[in-house]
Amino acid sequence: MSLRVLVVDDQGIVRAGFAAVIDAEDDMTVVGEAADGATAVVLAAELAPDVVVMDVRMPELDGIAATRIITGKENAPRVLVLTTFDLDAYVFDALRAGASGFLLKDVHASELLDGIRVVASGESVLAPSATRRLIGHYASGAGSGFRADPNSVSGKGPRELESLTDSQRNVLSLLASGLNNAEIAGELGITVGTVKSHVNALLRKLGLRDRVQATILAYDLGIARPNPPGADHL
């Protein structure tokens, strides 16, 4: 079945360009377009897309606020935030609001398409620069007070972590530090399949939607390592 995608951007030519690229794929269908966040909220409820490609700076209701409303509903679609502005505030606010990914608009078309597929599969995707600065934000101590949105991971704490095995805690720490499954497998000396099983189990136990939420929680609770081996490429 084709992935149902809603494209949201206040610039018509940009919106049309994204829609054309997405619609050209055999496994994707653009089910709607919106020029502002308020319309995006309405269309997300009416059209039931799998993924919303969301701009940040828009009239009426910005992309961050729209993302918060959309992801706060039952059976919510995944949201992939796309913006021209690679600013810390946008990255952090998008993640707090419940976005499953954050990419810059100048990414290659293939990266955008891959990003849509990744978030639709239940994973998360972040531009390398965003991941690097998110990690640096916590490593510098500035992360204190960076709490998740109430609709995402707030309220999680040591009690939930006690349900994790030592292996699951190690995987949580490494994924929060920016490593992918193959890199985590290399660090722990286990298979990629085992890493995937650990990730799925820890997300389920912690009641988290995806790796982005897991990253936020790990740093909020101080269990992530900001500069693990293998993360230098981020």
Side-chain angles (χ1 to χ4, degrees):
M1 295 180 62
S2 292
L3 292 176
R4 297 168 58 82
V5 182
L6 172 63
V7 179
V8 186
D9 196 294
D10 66 329
Q11 298 184 52
I13 190 169
V14 174
R15 190 171 65 248
F18 287 149
V21 168
I22 295 167
D23 239 353
E25 296 297 293
D26 293 337
D27 61 338
M28 298 183 193
T29 300
V30 175
V31 295
E33 299 180 28
D36 58 75
T39 303
V41 170
V42 173
L43 291 182
E46 292 180 350
L47 302 175
D50 298 301
V51 177
V52 179
V53 175
M54 181 76 74
D55 187 21
V56 172
R57 298 181 64 174
M58 296 182 293
E60 301 297 330
L61 188 71
D62 66 40
I64 302 301
T67 296
R68 183 175 293 109
I69 294 171
I70 291 171
T71 60
K73 297 183 181 298
E74 189 174 357
N75 299 319
R78 303 279 171 164
V79 176
L80 175 60
V81 171
L82 225 60
T83 181
T84 307
F85 304 93
D86 188 18
L87 302 178
D88 287 355
Y90 288 163
V91 177
F92 302 149
D93 287 348
L95 300 185
R96 278 194 293 255
S100 293
F102 184 99
L103 293 174
L104 298 181
K105 288 184 178 179
D106 62 359
V107 297
H108 191 275
S110 62
E111 293 179 78
L112 168 61
L113 297 171
D114 286 344
I116 292 172
R117 295 184 180 101
V118 167
V119 298
S121 72
E123 297 290 336
S124 57
V125 59
L126 289 176
S129 60
T131 302
R132 183 173 59 248
R133 293 199 328 279
L134 178 63
I135 292 170
H137 184 70
Y138 280 102
S140 69
S144 58
F146 174 54
R147 300 304 304 178
D149 183 86
N151 290 323
S152 52
V153 302
S154 63
K156 307 295 181 183
R159 179 179 299 178
E160 285 81 8
L161 290 178
E162 288 174 0
S163 68
L164 301 183
T165 65
D166 288 342
S167 294
Q168 289 164 358
R169 287 176 63 96
N170 288 337
V171 169
L172 174 59
S173 174
L174 291 172
L175 78 82
S177 299
L179 302 191
N180 60 34
N181 287 348
E183 291 164 338
I184 293 173
E187 286 297 316
L188 299 180
I190 58 180
T191 67
V192 172
T194 300
V195 173
K196 291 181 179 178
S197 296
H198 285 322
V199 171
N200 290 335
L202 71 88
L203 292 178
R204 182 179 66 255
K205 288 181 177 181
L206 296 174
L208 303 176
R209 184 184 60 247
D210 53 36
R211 296 166 76 107
V212 169
Q213 288 193 334
T215 296
I216 294 173
L217 178 64
Y219 277 107
D220 278 344
L221 297 179
I223 64 173
R225 292 186 289 148
N227 294 298
D232 294 339
H233 68 284
L234 294 175

